[in-house]
Amino acid sequence: MSPQRQRRPFRPERGRPAPRKQGPRRPPVEDPARRVALDVLRAVRERDAYANLVLPELLRRRRVTGRDAALATELAYGAARAQGLLDEVITACLDRPLDKVDGMVLDCLRLGAYQLLRTRIPEHAAVGSTVDLARADAGSPASGFVNAVLRKVSEKDEEGWLAELAPDRDTDPIGYLALRHAHPRWIARAFAESLGDKGTELDAALAADDARPAVHLVARPGDISAEELAAITGGELAPYSPYGVHLPPGTGDLADSEPIRERLAAVQDEGSQLCAVALTRARLDGPDERWLDLCAGPGGKAALLGALAATSGARVDAVEPAPHRARLVEEATQGLPVTVHVADGRAPGLEPGFDRVLVDAPCSGLGALRRRPEARWRRRPSDVADLTKLQGELVASAFELVRPGGVVGYVVCSPHLAETEGVIGSAVRGAGADIVDARELFPGLRRLGDGPYVQLWPHRHGTDAMFCAVARKR
């Protein structure tokens, strides 16, 4: 057998790169926090999901905890809350309309832009991590596009972009503050009209609405005191509600905490607590035994009313038209003197003669935007017009169900004048009722205005922007 001919080693031709070695691509570095944040943004965009429902579920399912969970929360909620501002900046860095950008790529751009503009994350980490996510989800061409756009975004900080993009503050103060604090212009205008100001006060209101809120708990009266709940949770006593406790912003999922699991406490904004308690403080002549929550789902105020009723010998009827939400009311009020009815509050079929009636009406939710990050970009001015008719019908029903001398409390989580003073003013005139000065039912609170209604604000009271009116049937 002839010996094998010796092979000469291969040498690439001059000027040509050597061929790449074949083998598996290096997998991207795992980044669970940013992956969760991006998937939350995608769910919000594709499925109209609620970020505050999607995020805890993803964190639990993927076992993301500690600092990674905190980062995922900051990025997901922050990018969802600042979407309008981020889109303005991204648009300024594009060579095409924003609506021509693939949705998956736009999610990446928003996540990256938020890190660059509103966090202390270093530029290389913000851009590099986002490019890796884009490459994994949309391929190399998309990752190159994301890299190029984010490099342009990084050329200025948030103040620099605002100086370039925001309307002139002197000629368009509402537009200027709307962009600065990442609010749609029409919502900023609604705040301005309610406040009667489009300068310093509006600036403070929008800034507070754009900040991460503290977590508020309510202690169930008769079962646990606010002091005991604060000691168990490490929180602080609420400044106004006798049943409230505040936990720091960013507090993790509380579903498995012992006080909530044992129904000794619940998550509830202090403003909501104050409005429910205000109804029970209104003076009555005669019996005080039958209370009604006419719009009870998902059950937060019904549970607080039920606990207060239990300490005074009263009973509560709770009305909710949606069966699944009625079940939530039943769960929230378990063990309390509360009877749940699946019915439409406009015609619930209940025997009139109630002593106290709460109408916590469906509303635009403009007062709780800080707790629902994506909501400000979903709402439309037409939503308010659609809701005011329903709100008026519910209040009219309440006046039919309350006894002469009884009181009706009207509550919405909104400062929009059409939903607040507009609805209750018309309903009271139609029912021939007398407005009660609600400020007297909120002891200890300052800056409640000229009355007779109460409008709470995040920047004044640390609560959601809850509105409360109380009227007595003649």
Side-chain angles (χ1 to χ4, degrees), residues 455-468:
Q455 178 67 66
L456 303 177
W457 290 97
H459 68 293
R460 290 181 181 177
H461 311 106
T463 68
D464 290 345
M466 303 291 298
F467 172 86
C468 180

Side-chain angles (χ1 to χ4, degrees), residues 133-465:
L133 290 169
R135 181 181 297 111
D137 289 6
S140 294
S143 69
F145 174 74
V146 168
N147 181 67
V149 174
L150 292 182
R151 294 297 178 189
K152 291 182 180 179
V153 172
S154 69
E155 292 174 1
K156 299 182 183 72
D157 62 8
E158 182 178 358
E159 288 299 322
W161 281 113
L162 286 169
E164 177 178 325
L165 300 174
D168 180 73
R169 184 165 193 168
D170 293 330
T171 59
D172 186 5
I174 291 178
Y176 171 83
L177 292 174
L179 185 61
R180 169 169 287 276
H181 298 301
H183 281 70
R185 179 189 290 265
W186 75 272
I187 292 179
R189 182 181 298 110
F191 278 37
E193 291 171 351
S194 180
L195 289 164
D197 177 85
K198 53 185 178 181
T200 304
E201 181 99 11
L202 177 61
D203 192 356
L206 293 176
D209 204 47
D210 200 31
R212 294 178 65 190
V215 176
H216 295 181
L217 301 180
V218 59
R220 177 172 284 188
D223 290 332
I224 188 173
S225 68
E227 290 79 8
E228 291 169 330
L229 181 60
I232 293 172
T233 60
E236 297 182 355
L237 291 177
Y240 307 117
S241 170
Y243 313 109
V245 171
H246 289 189
L247 301 178
T251 299
D253 186 11
L254 296 169
D256 293 329
S257 66
E258 183 177 356
I260 292 179
R261 192 174 62 248
E262 298 296 327
R263 294 190 178 86
L264 299 174
V267 176
Q268 187 178 50
D269 181 78
E270 186 178 4
S272 293
Q273 301 173 38
L274 292 170
C275 290
V277 173
L279 178 71
T280 70
R281 287 176 171 158
R283 180 184 55 81
L284 281 185
D285 292 326
D288 190 10
E289 301 170 352
R290 295 183 65 201
W291 299 359
L292 173 62
D293 185 348
L294 200 57
C295 312
K301 293 184 181 68
L304 180 53
L305 288 176
L308 292 172
T311 65
S312 66
R315 294 195 59 83
V316 179
D317 286 275
V319 174
E320 168 54 47
H324 70 283
R325 286 170 62 87
R327 286 192 293 272
L328 294 177
V329 179
E330 290 175 345
E331 293 173 6
T333 59
Q334 187 175 344
L336 298 173
V338 177
T339 303
V340 180
H341 307 269
V342 181
D344 189 327
R346 293 170 291 185
L350 299 177
E351 183 70 25
F354 288 94
D355 305 304
R356 302 180 189 271
V357 180
L358 174 65
V359 184
D360 181 21
C363 68
S364 64
L366 300 188
L369 296 178
R370 61 187 190 144
R371 299 194 185 279
R372 300 179 178 90
E374 73 291 330
R376 67 189 66 181
W377 309 111
R378 283 184 177 163
R379 289 299 187 193
R380 297 291 179 267
S382 58
D383 296 340
V384 175
D386 294 339
L387 285 163
T388 53
K389 182 176 184 293
L390 171 62
Q391 292 159 353
E393 291 171 346
L394 287 166
V395 180
S397 174
F399 279 120
E400 293 176 359
L401 291 165
V402 73
R403 67 169 173 83
V407 291
V408 170
Y410 174 65
V411 175
V412 285
C413 189
S414 172
H416 199 296
L417 291 177
E419 295 186 273
T420 58
E421 297 180 16
V423 167
I424 190 63
S426 176
V428 166
R429 287 190 297 271
D434 296 317
I435 287 288
V436 174
D437 192 333
R439 294 174 298 173
E440 301 172 0
L441 310 177
F442 290 75
L445 275 78
R446 302 176 61 188
R447 301 183 69 190
L448 292 178
D450 299 328
Y453 312 123
V454 164
Q455 178 67 66
L456 303 177
W457 290 97
H459 68 293
R460 290 181 181 177
H461 311 106
T463 68
D464 290 345

